[in-house]
Amino acid sequence: MRTSDAEGHDARRLTGVISIAAILLFVGIGSTVMTQLLGQFLGTSEAADETLVIALILNTALILIGWRRHATLAGQIRSHAEAEARARVLAARDPLTGFHNRRSLADEGAAMIIDAERRGKAVALLMLDLDHFKSVNDMHGHATGDALLHVVAQEVMAITPTSALHARLGGDEFAIAMVFDPSAPDVVERVADRLVARLAQPFDAEGQKVHISCSAGLARSDFGARSIEALMRAGDIAMYAAKKSGRNRFAWFDESMERELKARNDLEQGLRVAIPNGQIVPYFEQQIDLATSRLTGFEVLARWEHPVRGLIGPDRFIPIAEDTGMIAELSLSIMRQAFAAARDWDPGLTLSVNISPSQLRDAWLAQKIIKTLTETGFPASRLEIEITESALFDNLALAQSIAGSLKNQGVRLALDDFGTGYSSLAHLRALPFDRIKIDKSFVTSINEAPDSAAIVTAIIRLGESLNLPVTAEGVEDGAIAARLAAMGCAKAQGWHYGKPLSPIGVRTLLAERHLIVGAAPAPSNVEPITSRRRAG
């Protein structure tokens, strides 16, 4: 672009020189010709020199051509300048919202920080991410999504100070930088609070009424983040913390968030190695028949036997597996190990395995479970798949298809955490469940809270009317177990019956109770779980 501009400037200069020379020549020749013509008219001289007249005409033409060429070149240069200005704007701005892009925010933000420090002020950066935006795109299309982003940008402009820098960083993520008095951070908090409140209201986009919310992270330059890059990183960490805390809120960055994020990233990297290396192993929680106190089976739980940190509970790594998409691989690995361990148990003992909501989005889930059953030699009739109510919200039709395929192979289904969802009765009618499991949040307090006891009683009666036996989770003492038995609950599980057992621990328990029926030969492609060394 600079080379073409220089060439245009040189061409315009050359044209100007030629035009000036032509004008000077025109003046010289023209004065002579005009003198001759005037003398001829007055009769004091002979006719004008034809050569000079022709030269004057040619000179006039040259002036006109040169002037036109000069005007054309000037127009071209103006067009180049306007195109270059437009290119600079496009390079610095998001075309959808008109906001700065990430690159120009870095440049403008750096200048804002320098100016703020010079005036004894600070810069606050608000990183804003729209919650549930992907659902809008999936349900209504990208045109509606783009329209929503445009409307959101207008709301952001209306709420934030006019001096603020506004940027769209990509997708549904925005950044707003503003100068504030370090002694009055509440000014920034009020802006963040207004943004969160407004974006939680319904929007009209392309004629569609859509509902979203936002999570926002705040960082300030006077608390160690002296560069725009550091502010963006701190704001991003705080935004992630706001999402983790439930979304539809804002949070200020503090160093504990960074430490927590590092710990999470370390777990994530470790998990990617742990799953294929068999460090995530099944543990077994006993399920008891309340009427006879007989052991009927186990719920399969996941534990991470970390080579350095020891035993890690599922509350620490299951959410990471969900977020990163590793949950499907983890779940099938746990199933494979549990099925292999339980092949030679008493045929009356069942295994219950919980399925995550993300797995129910996989149309091949039933086939994968059945394949694992076949490869490990574990009977489908001894498997109970537990599905939570929340897992049914995304795609009930797909869940029905998966459930039907599993039922056709003899696998039983249980509706887990019953009572915590929003449409329990509808789901009981929609899927062929064989059992209801009462969430432990109701069970643990039945002897102290009358409302919990009433809910548990109602669920048990509902199960009786639908011919669906009920299992209570979270039985922590004998008093709760006795109360459940009196209510007519069929089964119970919880620490009252012992902590979850490792594969070696459960095998020892079953051997003592004579519930091992003889070692079944393991398929050649499955390593027996009992051959591995496990912590008890």
Side-chain angles (χ1 to χ4, degrees):
M1 182 65 76
R2 290 179 179 176
T3 301
S4 62
D5 286 348
E7 291 174 351
H9 183 71
D10 292 342
R12 186 170 61 171
R13 180 184 297 174
L14 178 61
T15 303
V17 169
I18 294 173
S19 298
I20 292 172
I23 291 172
L24 293 175
L25 185 62
F26 173 80
V27 171
I29 297 174
S31 61
T32 302
V33 172
M34 290 301 295
T35 300
Q36 291 177 354
L37 289 175
L38 183 61
Q40 181 182 358
F41 178 75
L42 296 175
T44 57
S45 63
E46 298 180 354
D49 188 334
E50 290 184 0
T51 302
L52 289 178
V53 172
I54 293 172
L56 179 62
I57 294 171
L58 291 174
N59 189 249
T60 302
L62 182 62
I63 290 172
L64 294 175
I65 292 171
W67 184 259
R68 183 171 181 178
R69 175 62 178 165
H70 177 79
T72 300
L73 286 173
Q76 290 176 346
I77 291 171
R78 279 196 305 273
S79 297
H80 279 300
E82 290 170 357
E84 190 174 40
R86 286 194 298 270
R88 282 196 298 270
V89 170
L90 290 174
R93 297 280 177 170
D94 169 52
L96 180 63
T97 62
F99 284 3
H100 290 281
N101 57 24
R102 187 180 293 271
R103 179 180 176 182
S104 61
L105 173 66
D107 295 338
E108 297 292 334
M112 175 182 276
I113 291 174
I114 293 172
D115 182 65
E117 289 181 346
R118 182 180 56 80
R119 296 189 290 124
K121 305 289 186 181
V123 172
L125 185 74
L126 188 151
M127 297 287 286
L128 186 150
D129 186 81
L130 303 184
D131 304 325
H132 316 297
F133 178 75
K134 183 178 182 300
S135 298
V136 174
N137 273 339
D138 292 344
M139 292 180 62
H140 304 293
H142 289 279
T144 300
D146 288 348
L148 175 60
L149 290 173
H150 183 71
V151 174
V152 166
Q154 291 178 323
E155 295 293 340
V156 169
M157 286 285 290
I159 291 172
T160 53
T162 55
S163 59
L165 290 176
H166 305 91
R168 180 185 173 214
L169 305 181
D172 59 342
E173 189 174 8
F174 297 84
I176 302 100
M178 63 191 85
V179 176
F180 74 104
D181 188 332
S183 64
D186 56 309
V187 174
V188 180
E189 292 176 357
R190 284 197 295 270
V191 171
D193 195 51
R194 289 182 61 197
L195 280 171
V196 171
R198 175 62 191 97
L199 296 184
Q201 303 301 312
F203 286 93
D204 183 89
E206 291 281 298
Q208 300 286 342
K209 180 169 283 190
V210 295
H211 295 264
I212 57 169
S213 59
C214 76
S215 301
L218 300 175
R220 46 193 293 177
S221 62
D222 57 329
F223 278 16
R226 301 290 296 276
S227 68
I228 191 68
E229 291 80 10
L231 273 177
M232 290 173 69
R233 183 174 183 276
D236 204 50
I237 292 173
M239 180 185 70
Y240 176 81
K243 277 190 177 293
K244 187 177 178 182
S245 298
R247 306 186 180 189
N248 192 33
R249 65 195 65 209
F250 70 88
W252 280 101
F253 169 79
D254 65 58
E255 292 182 354
S256 66
M257 294 177 180
E258 189 166 18
R259 290 193 297 269
E260 184 179 345
L261 182 62
K262 183 180 183 305
R264 183 194 183 280
N265 289 339
D266 289 344
L267 282 176
E268 179 183 333
Q269 295 307 313
L271 196 59
R272 295 187 184 280
V273 176
I275 296 173
N277 287 351
Q279 294 176 14
I280 312 296
V281 299
Y283 269 54
F284 301 87
E285 183 173 78
Q286 299 179 53
Q287 295 177 326
I288 305 297
D289 186 303
L290 283 171
T292 63
S293 298
R294 182 176 59 88
L295 175 67
T296 63
F298 299 86
E299 179 173 354
V300 180
L301 308 173
R303 297 290 186 269
W304 184 351
E305 293 185 340
H306 197 283
V308 177
R309 302 182 184 183
L311 201 63
I312 300 177
D315 57 314
R316 295 187 61 192
F317 64 86
I318 291 295
I320 298 175
E322 290 273 10
D323 292 343
T324 57
M326 291 187 278
I327 190 65
E329 181 187 359
L330 186 154
S331 178
L332 289 173
S333 173
I334 289 294
M335 285 188 207
R336 177 177 293 275
Q337 295 178 65
F339 297 165
R343 275 197 318 272
D344 60 349
W345 295 355
D346 186 283
L349 296 176
T350 61
L351 289 182
S352 298
V353 179
N354 195 281
I355 294 298
S356 76
S358 60
Q359 286 180 274
L360 276 181
R361 303 187 192 107
D362 180 4
W364 295 97
L365 175 62
Q367 286 72 18
K368 291 175 181 178
I369 294 174
I370 294 165
K371 181 175 183 287
T372 304
L373 287 167
T374 302
E375 290 175 348
T376 56
F378 188 76
S381 60
R382 291 174 57 194
L383 175 63
E384 184 173 82
I385 293 294
E386 298 182 4
I387 302 173
T388 60
E389 288 188 80
S390 59
L392 303 176
F393 294 152
D394 288 346
N395 192 333
L396 182 58
L398 180 57
Q400 289 173 317
S401 174
I402 293 171
S405 297
L406 290 172
K407 288 284 288 184
N408 288 338
Q409 297 298 317
V411 176
R412 285 176 285 184
L413 300 178
L415 182 58
D416 197 16
D417 297 341
F418 188 83
T420 60
Y422 298 97
S423 53
S424 305
L425 295 178
H427 289 148
L428 281 175
R429 293 181 58 191
L431 277 82
F433 288 110
D434 300 284
R435 177 175 299 278
I436 299 172
K437 297 193 73 174
I438 308 175
D439 186 69
K440 63 182 180 181
S441 62
F442 302 120
V443 175
T444 55
S445 59
I446 59 172
N447 286 328
E448 291 81 26
D451 55 342
S452 293
I455 291 172
V456 171
T457 300
I459 294 174
I460 293 172
R461 296 294 171 265
L462 176 65
E464 290 175 351
S465 65
L466 296 175
N467 197 28
L468 294 176
V470 174
T471 297
E473 300 178 305
V475 178
E476 297 179 353
D477 56 49
I480 294 176
R483 182 75 180 273
L484 288 168
M487 290 177 172
C489 185
K491 290 184 181 182
Q493 64 184 77
W495 281 28
H496 173 58
Y497 306 104
K499 293 183 179 181
L501 298 168
S502 69
I504 292 177
V506 74
R507 193 164 189 86
T508 301
L509 172 71
L510 295 179
E512 292 172 351
R513 300 186 183 186
H514 306 290
L515 293 173
I516 303 291
V517 297
S524 59
N525 61 336
V526 178
E527 179 186 355
I529 192 69
T530 52
S531 69
R532 307 178 197 170
R533 188 175 181 182
R534 298 297 183 202

